[in-house]
Amino acid sequence: MIRKKNVSMEDEYLQKLQPFLDKNNGNLSAAIRDAIELADAALQGHESVEDAMEYLTQGSTKYPEIRNSLIESGECILISQLSFRWLIENTDGILVDDELVSEIFNPYKIRSVSNLIEYLNKRSLNMGWGIEVYAST
């Protein structure tokens, strides 16, 4: 154990430590230990601090619980961008089988354009796509 008597820190960093200070009743040593534990967890699986920071700030974790539940339920799969691009490029102009369309768009539930729009908007929201479908007459 190393004991230091003085710690110099700018207000900017003390403000970032405030949630840890609140949790630990103002105990700076305990707050710093908690921050180190959190930093250690955030660095797991990353080769550098910069790599971890980029991952945590780029929004890749925006909808993890929705994505994970859809994958676990079997409703969705993860596919690499390269594989997806190949699939799109090599199926251009090919009609989808009726059975597949019926499986994606349940004909017993979707009986009108408004039902289809509602279904697509709900699906978009759940997938985190940020798009909205609408139609006008």
Side-chain angles (χ1 to χ4, degrees):
M1 174 185 284
I2 298 174
R3 292 196 176 265
K4 297 286 182 182
K5 294 183 180 186
N6 296 317
V7 174
S8 296
M9 194 175 305
E10 295 174 6
D11 286 341
E12 171 189 359
Y13 297 103
L14 281 173
Q15 289 175 358
K16 290 179 181 183
L17 278 176
Q18 193 59 52
F20 299 107
L21 289 166
D22 293 343
K23 176 185 175 245
N24 292 291
N25 299 317
N27 184 326
L28 183 60
S29 295
I32 291 173
R33 283 193 298 273
D34 284 351
I36 290 169
E37 288 296 325
L38 180 62
D40 182 57
L43 290 171
Q44 297 298 315
H46 298 283
E47 294 184 19
S48 67
V49 173
E50 292 79 15
D51 182 39
M53 289 294 289
E54 182 180 336
Y55 176 79
L56 292 171
T57 59
Q58 73 179 185
S60 62
T61 59
K62 193 170 185 181
Y63 298 99
E65 57 281 334
I66 295 172
R67 180 195 64 222
N68 292 343
S69 67
L70 290 170
I71 292 169
E72 288 170 8
S73 72
E75 185 175 348
C76 297
I77 63 168
L78 280 179
I79 185 170
S80 72
Q81 184 179 14
L82 182 62
S83 298
F84 187 68
R85 185 178 295 142
W86 176 89
L87 178 69
I88 297 298
E89 290 173 356
N90 289 288
T91 57
D92 187 29
I94 297 174
L95 293 177
V96 180
D97 291 335
D98 288 343
E99 295 101 23
L100 182 58
V101 172
S102 293
E103 188 175 321
I104 295 171
F105 305 109
N106 185 337
Y108 297 108
K109 290 184 179 178
I110 300 173
R111 302 184 140 233
S112 67
V113 174
S114 62
N115 290 145
L116 177 61
I117 291 169
E118 181 182 341
Y119 170 79
L120 292 173
N121 284 330
K122 182 186 268 185
R123 184 131 176 140
S124 170
L125 179 67
N126 288 342
M127 300 294 266
W129 291 339
I131 60 172
E132 185 175 350
V133 176
Y134 61 93
S136 62
T137 56

